[in-house]
Amino acid sequence: GENVEQHPSTLSVQEGDSAVIKCTYSDSASNYFPWYKQELGKRPQLIIDIRSNVGEKKDQRIAVTLNKTAKHFSLHITETQPEDSAVYFCAASMGKLIFGQGTELSVKP
Amino acid sequence: ETGVTQSPTHLIKTRGQQVTLRCSSQSGHNTVSWYQQALGQGPQFIFQYYREEENGRGNFPPRFSGLQFPNYSSELNVNALELDDSALYLCASSGTSGGSTDTQYFGPGTRLTVL
């Protein structure tokens, strides 16, 4: 069935370093790939998304890359700050979002 | 913050009871999706409503049912509650076409505890 694998499950970086989270998906028909940030007790918040006709998208310190042939996509956060600490979820969509298991990012001052 | 709202915020029920959760979509959106998020896990798709019709369903039993109203708000009903139904229930509203690439914006969720 449809599946999204996300790695790593936890990631600890020093403030100012970069963080990379990787996801692979199983359904080659997926055509939309959002990333959500979820702080403790709060709703998932969309931080960036990419559609299958684009290979890379950047928004300030955040970028996402997509490789449809390999069926994987990645989130890159540069110059991390303590407020980036949260759980990050990738998802793949064909209408319904199939989420990865989440990555708990900790940015140490 | 998104314009998506959910009620109630928290709910405690006992096994076998029934529960109704509510979601108001963002202005201009006609699609509502429901997700179940167990502690420490990613959200799991329950079903989606587009213009008052079910538009896809995940791997959840029939005791999970829903409705969408003419104003595009939505309800999630769960019958015969089980302990494993304890979770955060999220709704997300999206676009105008019911399409697969519409961005979904989440509400704050309803925390359901089943005792």
Side-chain angles (χ1 to χ4, degrees):
Chain A
E2 299 151 328
N3 188 47
V4 175
E5 295 286 336
Q6 182 173 346
H7 298 281
S9 57
T10 61
L11 181 58
S12 182
V13 300
Q14 288 295 130
E15 182 177 1
D17 287 350
S18 294
V20 180
I21 303 170
K22 298 183 178 181
C23 291
T24 59
Y25 60 98
S26 60
D27 190 342
S28 56
S30 296
N31 57 1
Y32 173 62
F33 306 90
W35 287 86
Y36 288 88
K37 174 184 181 182
Q38 189 174 30
E39 297 175 355
L40 193 62
K42 296 195 175 180
R43 73 184 79 195
Q45 180 183 7
L46 180 74
I47 56 171
I48 197 167
D49 56 10
I50 191 167
R51 290 170 173 82
S52 61
N53 57 343
V54 175
E56 184 172 355
K57 183 177 178 181
K58 189 172 182 181
D59 183 3
Q60 299 183 340
R61 296 186 296 110
I62 295 173
V64 58
T65 59
L66 171 64
N67 183 329
K68 284 222 77 181
T69 302
K71 293 192 284 187
H72 67 70
F73 56 114
S74 300
L75 177 72
H76 304 251
I77 305 174
T78 58
E79 301 171 24
T80 54
Q81 301 166 2
E83 51 265 38
D84 294 331
S85 297
V87 179
Y88 291 80
F89 291 99
C90 64
S93 175
M94 270 192 63
K96 62 179 180 180
L97 292 176
I98 306 299
F99 282 85
Q101 298 88 340
T103 296
E104 185 173 1
L105 175 63
S106 175
V107 180
K108 300 187 185 306
Chain B
E1 293 295 330
T2 70
V4 184
T5 61
Q6 291 185 244
S7 63
T9 307
H10 297 88
L11 204 50
I12 299 175
K13 292 285 188 178
T14 56
R15 270 188 309 175
Q17 285 189 310
Q18 178 265 344
V19 68
T20 297
L21 310 181
R22 295 179 175 84
C23 172
S24 291
S25 58
Q26 188 167 308
S27 177
H29 286 179
N30 58 17
T31 303
V32 173
S33 304
W34 285 92
Y35 296 85
Q36 179 194 68
Q37 187 176 24
L39 203 60
Q41 297 183 22
Q44 288 200 332
F45 176 74
I46 303 174
F47 42 58
Q48 183 183 83
Y49 280 85
Y50 169 59
R51 291 187 174 179
E52 304 178 60
E53 297 288 331
E54 189 178 287
N55 185 39
R57 188 180 180 91
N59 190 26
F60 280 80
R63 59 189 185 85
F64 286 78
S65 63
L67 281 174
Q68 188 177 32
F69 300 99
N71 66 354
Y72 303 128
S73 66
S74 178
E75 285 183 354
L76 164 65
N77 299 289
V78 187
N79 294 323
L81 284 167
E82 301 177 0
L83 296 179
D84 284 350
D85 295 334
S86 295
L88 180 68
Y89 287 84
L90 295 159
C91 75
S93 82
S94 56
T96 58
S97 64
S100 61
T101 62
D102 289 346
T103 300
Q104 295 190 23
Y105 297 95
F106 282 88
T110 294
R111 174 71 63 186
L112 173 64
T113 302
V114 182
L115 302 176

